[in-house]
């Protein structure tokens, strides 16, 4: 038998290696929507397609994504009434009522009917491209790319990134960069508080680059002196100022959500008078610290912690400490370092220079109107420039400002670094703001010097203790709470003993430890507090030049001093308290 007439077998017939083609249903996505096409094979072996079944509006599937927690997503793209949009759809949610609500909330028509939605769920899970994406749940730096809160990515790299957060619609551009320079930035020259607002806004993305801690500034002064205008000028760097500006009226959880949305960015909270003292206290710690509070998950355990890094710019009529003390709440050193208060008072409200305007109110009106017209361009130009600057360059600019300041202690030094970062941002962004070199540094240094003068040289805790001691003595020094040195009797509010000196000597006041620690120190460490007050001789004058002597009660029935102000001192022989 010749090869031509050999029988066809699996060994010599290649087609036998393949299974017969079966008619398979499929999905088709086109401009009119997503369709399901069911197919059948008739008795003659012909494939017959049924009429397409429309499932929804057009939803292109362009990739698969994974977030930092390992969650999986399908990356979808669609066109709403205005523009083409993309989003990350969690695989775990596909097919649930929540997923349909989300898609419908995006303006996508999802046809009703159980069968149609089951088919659409299959399409969303299996259809489309599988291009890999990184899904980011917060804005800010993602590698060398920066994600704006509206999802726009500056300097998108070969690695595809998509933002899965919410909000941010106000991070838009209006006008050109030259318009912003001519109508807004130029008026900051010679106006230190405007420069502080601009410098704080521009320095926010630098925190991540230099590994600096979050913080901010609180600018305080009389009503209608231009504080809110300064905040709007700072916000005009990023987008629509009036929409981006938030008020202090809210909860600490709400403010944490604002901060997370603005990660590596700038947050403005206007008019502190609208907030409760406890909210202000919590915000100064939690929002600036950049960590969410622990929350339980519905399926057990805790939700992953959220972290962010921001610079906060706050306004109000009173300083933070004055506001809190008016409400009877403490303002601790840690809070004062995170959010130092800078007086808004200058020559014309917040302004030192009017640039030809009749008064501060007229200049404020111009800046507010201009910010509504021209905004958002400076941030994009600045973020693009940051791709060309090394961290060492930024550190050098920061160090140049710090070198002009006197030697500072720990707390003052931490605040000074934040002023220095604002100055560095202004100097490095000169081509973007249009301001001449040195103008930013001069304005920020003026703000620092005003803050430094208002807060003395000492630490915040030292000043608190001295104020507390002075207030206590001014209230009780000549009252019944101090018994005479030789008295054997005390009243129930006994605070200590008063020892009258010679005619030319000052009186000595001996305070019992319970009162000193509870009413004056109010829980602060006793030993450290004594060392702090010993460093400040001004404490003697602050209590009307009366000498304080602090004593410790021993086991024996004598009062024996462990620290004293008196130049001459002898152990008293009085009954134990």
């Amino acid at each position: 038998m010749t090869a031509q007439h050999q029988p066809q077998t699996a060994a010599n017939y290649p087609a036998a290696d393949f299974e017969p083609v079966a008619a398979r249903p499929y999905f088709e996505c086109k401009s009119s929507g997503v369709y399901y096409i069911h197919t059948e094979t008739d008795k003659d072996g012909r494939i017959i397609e049924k009429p397409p079944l429309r499932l929804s509006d057009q939803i292109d599937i362009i990739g698969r994504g994974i977030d930092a927690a390992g969650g999986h997503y399908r990356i979808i793209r669609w066109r709403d009434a205005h523009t083409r949009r993309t989003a990350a759809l969690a695989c775990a949610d596909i097919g649930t009522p929540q997923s349909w609500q989300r898609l419908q909330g995006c303006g996508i028509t999802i046809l009703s009917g159980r069968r149609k939605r089951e088919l659409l769920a299959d399409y969303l899970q299996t259809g489309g491209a599988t291009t890999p994406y990184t899904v980011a749940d917060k804005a800010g730096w993602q590698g060398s790319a920066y994600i704006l809160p509206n999802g726009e990515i500056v300097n998108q790299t070969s690695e595809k990134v998509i933002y899965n957060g919410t909000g941010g619609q106000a991070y838009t551009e209006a006008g050109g960069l030259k318009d912003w320079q001519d109508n807004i930035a130029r008026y900051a020259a010679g106006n230190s508080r405007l420069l502080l607002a601009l410098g704080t806004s521009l320095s926010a993305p630098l925190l991540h680059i230099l590994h600096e801690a979050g913080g901010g500034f609180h600018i305080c002064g009389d009503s209608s002196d231009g504080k809110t205008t300064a905040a709007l000028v700072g916000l005009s760097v990023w987008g629509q100022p009036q929409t981006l500006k938030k008020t202090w009226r809210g909860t600490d959880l709400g403010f944490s959500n604002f901060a997370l949305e603005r990660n590596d960015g700038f947050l403005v909270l206007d008019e502190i008078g609208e907030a409760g003292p406890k909210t202000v206290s919590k915000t100064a710690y939690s929002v600036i610290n950049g960590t969410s509070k622990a929350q339980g998950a519905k399926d057990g355990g805790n939700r992953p912690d959220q972290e962010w890094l921001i610079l906060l710019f706050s306004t109000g009529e009173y300083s933070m400490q004055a506001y809190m003390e008016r409400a009877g709440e403490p303002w601790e050193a840690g809070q004062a370092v995170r959010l130092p208060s800078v007086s808004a008072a200058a020559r014309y409200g917040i302004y030192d220079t009017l640039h030809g305007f009749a008064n501060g109110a007229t200049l404020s009106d111009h800046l507010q109107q201009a910010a509504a017209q021209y905004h958002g361009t400076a941030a994009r130009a600045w973020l693009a420039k940051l791709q060309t600057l090394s961290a060492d360059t930024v550190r050098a600019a920061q160090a140049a400002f710090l070198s002009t300041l006197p030697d500072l202690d720990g707390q003052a030094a931490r605040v000074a670094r934040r002023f220095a970062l604002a100055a560095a941002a202004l100097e490095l962004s000169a081509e973007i703001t249009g301001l001449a070199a040195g103008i930013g540094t001069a304005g920020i240094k003026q703000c620092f010097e005003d803050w430094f003068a208002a807060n003395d040289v000492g630490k915040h805790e030292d000043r608190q203790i001295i104020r507390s001691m002075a207030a206590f003595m001014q209230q009780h020094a000549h009252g019944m709470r101090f018994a005479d040195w030789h008295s054997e009797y005390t009243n129930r509010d006994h605070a200590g003993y008063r020892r009258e000196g010679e005619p030319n000597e000052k009186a000595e006041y001996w305070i019992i430890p319970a009162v000193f620690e509870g009413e004056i120190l109010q829980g602060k460490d006793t030993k450290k507090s004594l060392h702090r007050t010993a460093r400040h001789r001004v404490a003697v004058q602050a209590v009307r030049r009366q000498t304080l002597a602090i004593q410790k009660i021993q086991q024996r029935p004598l009062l024996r001093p462990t620290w004293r102000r008196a130049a001459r001192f002898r152990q008293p022989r009085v009954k134990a308290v």
Side-chain angles (χ1 to χ4, degrees):
M1 182 179 294
T2 64
Q4 183 177 1
H5 296 93
Q6 288 180 352
Q8 294 181 341
T9 65
N12 58 23
Y13 184 52
D17 292 337
F18 297 89
E19 295 181 2
V21 178
R24 295 176 181 268
Y26 62 95
F27 296 98
E28 184 176 20
C29 182
K30 50 189 180 181
S31 60
S32 57
V34 176
Y35 295 87
Y36 172 73
I37 294 92
H38 184 67
T39 60
E40 293 181 350
T41 304
D42 64 11
K43 61 181 180 180
D44 297 325
R46 292 175 300 180
I47 298 175
I48 300 174
E49 293 186 354
K50 296 292 186 179
L53 178 65
R54 189 168 185 266
L55 307 178
S56 69
D57 285 345
Q58 181 181 11
I59 306 175
D60 291 311
I61 301 175
I62 61 175
R64 291 184 176 273
I66 300 179
D67 65 15
H72 289 260
Y73 296 79
R74 297 309 311 271
I75 313 303
I76 63 173
R77 182 172 59 200
W78 75 99
R79 178 177 292 278
D80 61 14
H82 305 287
T83 186
R84 185 176 293 277
R85 299 169 61 187
T86 59
L89 190 64
C91 292
D93 293 338
I94 293 175
T96 65
Q98 293 79 9
S99 68
W100 306 136
Q101 290 174 4
R102 181 184 175 188
L103 293 173
Q104 289 172 320
C106 293
I108 301 173
T109 299
I110 306 297
L111 297 182
S112 60
R114 178 177 175 180
R115 176 60 176 160
K116 291 180 180 178
R117 295 196 173 187
E118 287 176 345
L119 291 169
L120 183 57
D122 289 343
Y123 167 72
L124 293 172
Q125 294 180 89
T126 63
T130 59
T131 305
Y133 278 76
T134 296
V135 178
D137 61 354
K138 59 185 177 184
W141 293 106
Q142 183 74 32
S144 61
Y146 189 98
I147 305 174
L148 289 167
N150 65 350
E152 180 184 345
I153 300 176
V154 180
N155 193 41
Q156 175 75 279
T157 60
S158 57
E159 177 188 7
K160 293 186 177 295
V161 179
I162 185 168
Y163 177 51
N164 198 38
T166 59
Q169 290 79 10
Y171 284 82
T172 57
E173 292 182 88
L177 180 61
K178 187 67 165 58
D179 297 322
W180 180 81
Q181 292 173 345
D182 292 343
N183 292 278
I184 298 175
R186 66 182 290 257
Y187 296 107
N191 286 313
S192 60
R193 273 48 176 182
L194 290 184
L195 287 167
L196 180 63
L198 273 179
T200 306
S201 179
L202 290 165
S203 61
L206 300 179
L207 295 176
H208 173 83
I209 295 173
L210 297 189
H211 306 291
E212 292 277 354
F217 297 101
H218 173 74
I219 186 168
C220 54
D222 295 337
S223 178
S224 303
D225 62 358
K227 301 182 300 295
T228 299
T229 300
L232 294 175
V233 166
L235 286 170
S236 70
V237 171
W238 296 91
Q240 300 173 17
Q242 285 290 354
T243 307
L244 291 176
K245 175 176 68 70
K246 304 300 178 184
T247 70
W248 272 99
R249 186 179 179 85
T251 65
D252 58 315
L253 179 58
F255 295 140
S256 293
N257 290 335
F258 287 148
L260 181 62
E261 181 182 302
R262 292 160 174 77
N263 178 53
D264 294 329
F266 181 60
L267 171 63
V268 165
L269 294 179
D270 194 32
E271 293 301 339
I272 195 174
E274 297 186 16
K278 292 188 182 299
T279 297
V280 173
S281 180
K282 290 180 180 178
T283 300
Y285 273 121
S286 62
V287 171
I288 294 177
N289 276 356
T291 305
S292 62
K293 64 181 181 180
Q295 293 180 306
K298 63 181 179 181
D299 55 351
N302 287 338
R303 300 180 186 177
D305 290 340
Q306 298 280 10
E307 296 182 349
W308 58 83
L309 197 57
I310 63 158
L311 282 181
L312 171 64
F313 194 83
S314 167
T315 72
E317 293 187 26
Y318 302 99
S319 70
M320 282 292 191
Q321 181 167 334
Y323 176 75
M324 297 297 287
E325 290 179 348
R326 279 164 53 92
E329 295 287 337
W331 182 245
E332 303 294 348
Q335 296 164 311
V337 169
R338 288 167 174 80
L339 200 59
S341 297
V342 178
S343 173
R347 188 175 180 185
Y348 311 100
I350 67 164
Y351 305 110
D352 302 290
T353 306
L354 293 178
H355 291 280
F357 286 87
N359 50 52
T362 308
L363 178 53
S364 289
D365 289 342
H366 165 79
L367 290 172
Q368 292 188 31
Q369 293 172 11
Q373 289 182 275
Y374 312 114
H375 53 255
T377 53
R380 290 157 175 84
W382 175 231
L383 293 170
K385 180 177 176 61
L386 287 179
Q387 312 298 327
T388 68
L389 295 178
S390 68
D392 288 341
T393 300
V394 181
R395 287 193 189 94
Q398 185 183 32
F401 180 87
L402 291 172
S403 67
T404 68
L405 306 182
D407 292 336
L408 303 168
D409 64 23
Q411 292 174 2
R414 287 171 61 188
V415 177
R417 289 185 65 84
R418 199 171 310 129
F419 279 106
L421 195 63
L426 287 169
E427 293 303 323
L428 294 172
S429 64
E431 65 185 70
I432 294 164
T433 62
L435 298 171
I439 287 179
T441 295
I444 299 301
K445 189 170 184 183
Q446 180 63 56
C447 292
F448 171 80
E449 290 174 348
D450 291 344
W451 169 83
F452 191 68
N455 288 273
D456 302 324
V457 179
K459 292 184 177 181
H460 181 81
E461 290 100 332
D462 297 19
R463 297 191 300 272
Q464 276 189 319
I465 293 168
I466 291 168
R467 279 195 296 267
S468 181
M469 292 175 70
F472 182 86
M473 295 305 296
Q474 288 167 358
Q475 184 176 1
H476 301 296
H478 299 289
M480 298 297 294
R481 295 195 66 182
F482 283 95
D484 182 78
W485 183 256
H486 300 289
S487 174
E488 296 185 6
Y489 302 98
T490 62
N491 63 33
R492 62 181 180 180
D493 292 326
H494 180 54
Y497 293 91
R498 178 175 54 250
R499 181 189 181 193
E500 299 294 343
E502 299 297 328
N504 294 327
E505 292 183 348
K506 305 178 182 69
E508 294 177 3
Y509 285 81
W510 291 54
I511 305 172
I512 62 175
V515 172
F516 182 70
E517 295 167 4
E519 297 186 37
I520 296 177
L521 299 186
Q522 299 177 0
K524 295 180 176 64
D525 184 271
T526 303
K527 186 176 181 180
K528 290 183 179 178
S529 298
L530 294 178
H531 284 301
R532 285 178 179 134
T533 53
R535 290 199 301 263
H536 295 272
R537 294 184 179 276
V538 68
V540 178
Q541 299 177 355
V543 294
R544 297 180 180 175
R545 306 188 65 83
Q546 291 152 339
T547 304
L548 301 181
I550 314 303
Q551 77 290 335
K552 178 180 179 181
I553 298 179
Q554 303 288 338
Q555 296 292 331
R556 55 190 174 181
L558 291 174
L559 297 178
R560 184 173 182 177
T562 57
W563 177 89
R564 65 178 183 267
R565 278 266 181 220
R568 293 190 300 273
F569 185 88
R570 69 177 178 82
Q571 180 174 308
R573 292 189 173 277
V574 298
K575 288 189 175 182
V577 179

